[in-house]
Amino acid sequence: MTFDIGDKTINENLVKNIKKIFSSSNINFLIGSGCSRPALQPLGDVEANIQALFEAGNDTEAREELAKFAYPIIENSSILTSKTAFLSADDFITIDNYSTFLRSISDILQHRSSGILTKRANIFTTNYDLYIEKASEYLSPSTCFNDGFSRNSSVFMRYKYSPNTFFHSVYNNGNLYNYQVQLPYINLIKIHGSSNWIVENGEIYQSTEYFDSAKNAYKTSQYDDFLKYIPFVLPTKDKFSETTLKQIYYDLLRIYSNELDKENTILIAIGFSFADEHILELTKRALRNPTLKLIVFCYDEDGKDKLEEIFKQFQNVNLVYSSTTSLDFSFVNKLLYSLTEVFDNE
């Protein structure tokens, strides 16, 4: 089913329908590079162009293009994690969009009163950048934001990636009375890896230590050396240079698949084109579950047309678009904020 919202006016019926779904569903989001606008531009045809170079036997040129693709992400992440660097206006807009997004999810989870459904939401993303992590710094301390790293005490301050943390729940216990209150718990599951990951001895750790070495290798045109530092899945058909990354990639895809197989589940896709073959196939397979509802916010009519063709055989997919303008991340945030207002007024 396709919804044209015209001039981006928040439709009251749309809000009420999504609110009803949220109240009784397991909540999942799938966000893509479109959500990191305007700070970073979407992937576009990069994967196809690089793959064409490899297939033509132009390996050196292909690896140089891979390095050119990855370098801005490393440079941008280096700025975001620096205590002295100045952020641009586009950086602040992007951080604010993610911050609004996370606060709205937290508010929606806070209002869940069902004892059956947990106050947990999953954000699956193929993005490598650190904008959502930066935005999480502005969340209320009463909301748990989990990026998959187990932050046990360590004198070395090295945090190991532990996907089992995605299944945790956190409760607040009363000091005087015997009661428990479940806290909102937001999982960030970066399927393609992240710029602040590092692979060592078959494990993934959170680290920004390699940024300077990677940038130096790139600036001296040592592209092969530069690519050895990259801790995320590169946009090629042969995506993996690290066995550890490959294992984590398939582990996270399994979590994605299992979450969508749960009864009464909603998946909201934002800024995502479904160009990734693995994610698309897993999503199509999951849509055989009649209690799964997929809502895709299409950036423009061209995107809507492509997705209509992709999902034409499924009745449990809703595409939201505008025939008069583009639907950006800020529109979805307005919709989510409208949901929180509906909850607050009940």
Side-chain angles (χ1 to χ4, degrees):
M1 192 176 296
T2 304
F3 295 96
D4 178 5
I5 58 168
D7 61 356
K8 297 205 299 187
T9 301
I10 300 295
N11 183 284
E12 185 177 341
N13 287 331
L14 179 62
V15 171
K16 287 183 177 179
N17 287 336
I18 295 180
K19 182 259 178 185
K20 183 178 180 181
I21 296 170
F22 270 154
S23 298
S24 58
S25 301
N26 298 295
I27 301 174
N28 298 276
F29 293 88
L30 178 60
I31 64 174
S33 56
C35 292
S36 291
R37 286 174 170 168
L40 294 173
Q41 293 306 306
L43 192 61
D45 296 325
V46 168
E47 179 170 345
N49 295 337
I50 292 173
Q51 188 62 31
L53 289 172
F54 276 121
E55 291 174 355
N58 300 323
D59 288 17
T60 300
E61 186 179 351
R63 292 181 70 78
E64 182 175 342
E65 290 301 312
L66 274 177
K68 289 179 180 178
F69 158 77
Y71 179 76
I73 298 166
I74 301 302
E75 175 68 19
N76 174 270
S77 298
S78 178
I79 292 170
L80 284 180
T81 55
S82 170
K83 294 181 180 179
T84 57
F86 291 97
L87 301 182
S88 69
D90 286 346
D91 288 327
F92 282 114
I93 291 171
T94 304
I95 292 168
D96 186 61
N97 280 338
Y98 276 119
S99 188
T100 302
F101 177 59
L102 292 175
R103 285 198 303 270
S104 294
I105 295 173
S106 176
D107 288 346
I108 289 168
L109 292 173
Q110 189 66 58
H111 285 88
R112 285 164 77 94
S113 57
S114 170
I116 299 173
L117 294 171
T118 65
K119 293 185 178 182
R120 185 193 305 130
N122 299 313
I123 302 173
F124 295 94
T125 182
T126 54
N127 295 350
Y128 315 113
D129 62 73
L130 302 180
Y131 282 104
I132 194 166
E133 288 93 336
K134 187 71 175 177
S136 72
E137 296 175 2
Y138 303 100
L139 271 172
S140 164
S142 62
T143 298
C144 301
F145 180 83
N146 174 38
D147 59 4
F149 286 91
S150 179
R151 289 176 172 81
N152 295 326
S153 297
S154 169
V155 293
F156 300 108
M157 300 296 288
R158 300 297 301 276
Y159 303 126
K160 185 187 295 185
Y161 196 64
S162 304
N164 62 301
T165 61
F166 294 133
F167 307 103
H168 290 177
S169 294
V170 178
Y171 293 83
N172 221 344
N173 294 314
N175 290 329
L176 300 178
Y177 302 100
N178 186 23
Y179 69 87
Q180 285 187 328
V181 177
Q182 188 175 9
L183 300 180
Y185 197 90
I186 302 174
N187 285 322
L188 175 65
I189 303 173
K190 303 186 85 169
I191 297 173
H192 282 178
S194 180
S195 60
N196 66 338
W197 289 11
I198 189 170
V199 181
E200 287 184 358
N201 301 319
E203 299 285 357
I204 292 176
Y205 296 90
Q206 188 179 64
S207 175
T208 59
E209 297 169 5
Y210 76 95
F211 284 170
D212 288 341
S213 297
K215 288 191 293 182
N216 288 336
Y218 181 86
K219 290 174 181 177
T220 55
S221 301
Q222 299 175 56
Y223 299 124
D224 284 345
D225 289 341
F226 169 76
L227 290 173
K228 291 176 184 177
Y229 288 106
I230 301 306
F232 45 77
V233 177
L234 291 167
T236 64
K237 297 295 182 183
D238 182 19
K239 297 174 182 286
F240 305 101
S241 59
E242 272 283 351
T243 303
T244 302
L245 275 179
K246 183 175 183 178
Q247 183 60 51
I248 284 292
Y249 175 69
Y250 284 111
D251 285 347
L252 298 183
L253 284 179
R254 192 177 302 112
I255 292 174
Y256 176 76
S257 178
N258 290 342
E259 289 298 317
L260 298 191
D261 281 341
K262 291 181 178 178
E263 190 174 1
N264 296 324
T265 291
I266 183 172
L267 174 65
I268 294 185
I270 313 165
F272 196 84
S273 65
F274 285 94
D276 184 284
E277 295 173 2
H278 288 102
I279 294 176
L280 175 58
E281 288 309 309
L282 288 175
T283 304
K284 283 184 172 181
R285 193 178 307 157
L287 285 167
R288 298 170 188 168
N289 168 10
T291 67
L292 169 65
K293 175 75 73 174
L294 169 60
I295 300 176
V296 185
F297 288 90
C298 309
Y299 183 71
D300 53 26
E301 268 197 273
D302 286 343
K304 182 266 297 182
D305 292 343
K306 291 176 183 176
L307 291 169
E308 271 187 327
E309 179 63 24
I310 288 172
F311 294 114
K312 61 184 178 182
Q313 68 193 89
F314 299 102
Q315 298 299 311
N316 46 345
V317 176
N318 291 336
L319 304 180
V320 181
Y321 80 106
S322 169
S323 57
T324 60
T325 186
S326 57
L327 290 190
D328 54 16
F329 195 19
S330 62
F331 168 78
V332 183
N333 280 328
K334 289 177 184 176
L335 176 63
L336 292 175
Y337 181 74
S338 298
L339 281 175
T340 66
E341 288 187 318
V342 171
F343 279 115
D344 287 338
N345 292 329
E346 289 184 340

